[in-house]
Amino acid sequence: MSEELRVSPIETRGVAGKKRYAMVVDTRRCIGCMACQVACKAEYDTPLGVNRTWVPYKVVGTYPTVKKQFLPRLCNHCDDPPCVRNCPVDATYKVEDGGFVLQRYERCIGCRSCMAACPYNARFMLPAHRTYSSITRVVDKCTFCFHRVTQNLVPACVQTCIGRSRVFGDLNDPTSEVSYLVAKNATQVLRPEEGTKPHVFYIGADRNATEFGRDAYRQPEVMEPERSAFNRHFKI
Amino acid sequence: MGDYVWFHDVSWHASYAIYFFVIGILAGLSFLSYGSWITPALRPLREKAAYLSLALLAIGGLLLIADLSQPLRFLNTLNPMYLSFTSPLAWGALNIVAFGVASVLYILELRKGQDSARGKLLALVTALLALGLPIYTGYDLTVHQSRPVWNTPVMPVLFVALAIASGSAVGSLLSGGNAEAQKVLREYMLWSTAGVGVILVSILGTTNYGGSAQELTFMILTTGTMGMIFVGVGILAGTAAPVAMLFLAHLKQQTTGLMIAALLILLGSAALRYALLMGPQQLQTLY
Ligand code: SF4
Ligand code: SF4
């Protein structure tokens, strides 16, 4: 989706006086240490089995010409987020200044409509019991570390990224590092054909990791052991 | 080999398919109850269809509420301060409540035991609100632009056709040996189920010839256990077979054949709803 194209009134690109936070992930610099995943878990006490950010990888090529291709993933804080328009009670909403897509936990009814609407699996249901938090049985997701960013800190995953693969900033500010990276490099967003206009831009992402591969074809019964293991530990 | 992917559970589980099934039957029964005011042959079904549709509404409503992870917050969907009309679920919540109110008023009118003009009007209002139920459940799937099969404009039409087919099937089972009613219901079942068949063929065609996500979803829907449920039970046993039987019954006027066709339609429409709900969600499980 072209950076210039703005069609929906909810979009924040180029709106004067408004911030438009984005993350650039330079996959050439990602070493797959998963420190970001750990930092996020520590920041939010995200339960076992679910993640706000995760780093899947694919092994590409045939020995001896092989490479591990990492693709750090998180909510894309889409400029035109289908999760927001599908929530019947406005429990998920977009912050006008900044473009954060956030949750109102006390309002969420747990219908999972937003989960079905998100093309990126960025949302998950919180289990019924948590150790350090009373927020349970509602949908949760990455917040772009709203509480840190509004205190002039970068998100926890960006702070901890040892390869400096993750860069965070305001795309509406032409002098920001993310603006520079998006302007100077060939970038890619995930599933651009869905019209969500993601705010996570990848440099050097491999199509083996961004597209559905043949191995995505798995019958439900093949997935069943995985699903039952998940459900055993994850009572909602 | 050696890939690391993260398992993501599907968003909506089978209980939602049962809800679709129940809501389809109750909508179809409401159409029949209204139809009884226009088509005298359906007159014996009027009260039965109205009562059963209200009972199914109670079951469907409870299923829907129980499926929420915060069941008591279903009241949020009726709070005008919260409602967001960009979501079909919001329209659906209002539609269900309006249908429930209209149904109760209609039944109260029916209990008076006369064929009043008000009764006919309430039957019409109830049937129109019932029409909204399969339409909204269809939109519920259609609006998810990233899901193959769901994101097709025919989904609400398919759900309306399934509602007419399954409602008429239940009506046929309720009518027993009433030849007049069976004659009309046979027509309803035949043409609505044939319509379901045509829509399914067009969905399968566009899915198979679509992009990579569509192609993979087609494979998921047509092979293994899901293929057995979708193609075997849903399309062959639950759509093609009853259409053929109804066509023959049309010639031979066999009540037993009609009953078997009605049961097959119900089985098929349950299978189709399950497969159409669960199949297109599988692809994203490991994305
Ligand atoms: S990535 Fe998913 S959850 Fe995040 S804003 Fe986009 S649609 Fe919503
Ligand atoms: S699960 Fe919660 S946030 Fe998601 S659509 Fe339903 S009410 Fe909205």
Side-chain angles (χ1 to χ4, degrees), chain B residues 77-89:
Chain B
T77 59
L78 304 176
N79 184 338
M81 302 298 288
Y82 290 175
L83 271 188
S84 165
F85 287 110
T86 51
S87 165
L89 251 71

Side-chain angles (χ1 to χ4, degrees), chain A residues 108 111-112 121 137 217 219, chain B residues 11-12 69 73 223 284 287:
Chain A
C108 173
C111 63
R112 301 179 185 88
N121 287 331
R137 291 190 292 131
Y217 161 72
Q219 279 294 326
Chain B
S11 312
W12 285 331
S69 68
R73 291 194 197 164
T223 55
Q284 237 175 262
Y287 181 66

Side-chain angles (χ1 to χ4, degrees), chain A residues 46-60:
Chain A
T46 322
L48 280 176
V50 289
N51 290 292
R52 288 174 175 226
T53 187
W54 66 106
V55 188
Y57 64 75
K58 288 249 165 87
V59 179
V60 181

Side-chain angles (χ1 to χ4, degrees), chain A residues 166-196:
Chain A
R166 294 188 185 223
V167 179
F168 186 81
D170 176 13
L171 265 188
N172 277 352
D173 171 5
T175 63
S176 68
E177 190 179 356
V178 284
S179 292
Y180 175 83
L181 288 171
V182 168
K184 292 282 186 177
N185 292 279
T187 58
Q188 188 182 338
V189 294
L190 296 185
R191 303 183 75 182
E193 70 280 7
E194 305 303 347
T196 52

Side-chain angles (χ1 to χ4, degrees), chain A residues 86-89 91-92 103 108-114 123 139:
Chain A
N86 275 295
C87 177
V89 293
T92 182
Q103 288 289 108
C108 173
I109 62 173
C111 63
R112 301 179 185 88
S113 221
C114 53
R123 295 175 162 264
V139 166

Side-chain angles (χ1 to χ4, degrees), chain B residues 129-151:
Chain B
L129 289 168
L131 180 63
L133 298 173
I135 291 180
Y136 110 77
T137 41
Y139 272 122
D140 223 3
L141 302 184
T142 297
V143 291
H144 298 296
Q145 81 262 39
S146 63
R147 308 275 181 173
V149 176
W150 288 8
N151 187 225

Side-chain angles (χ1 to χ4, degrees), chain A residues 75-78 81-83 101 118-120 122-123 141:
Chain A
C75 166
N76 289 281
H77 294 266
C78 305
C83 55
V101 175
C118 174
Y120 310 103
R123 295 175 162 264
K141 66 182 276 295

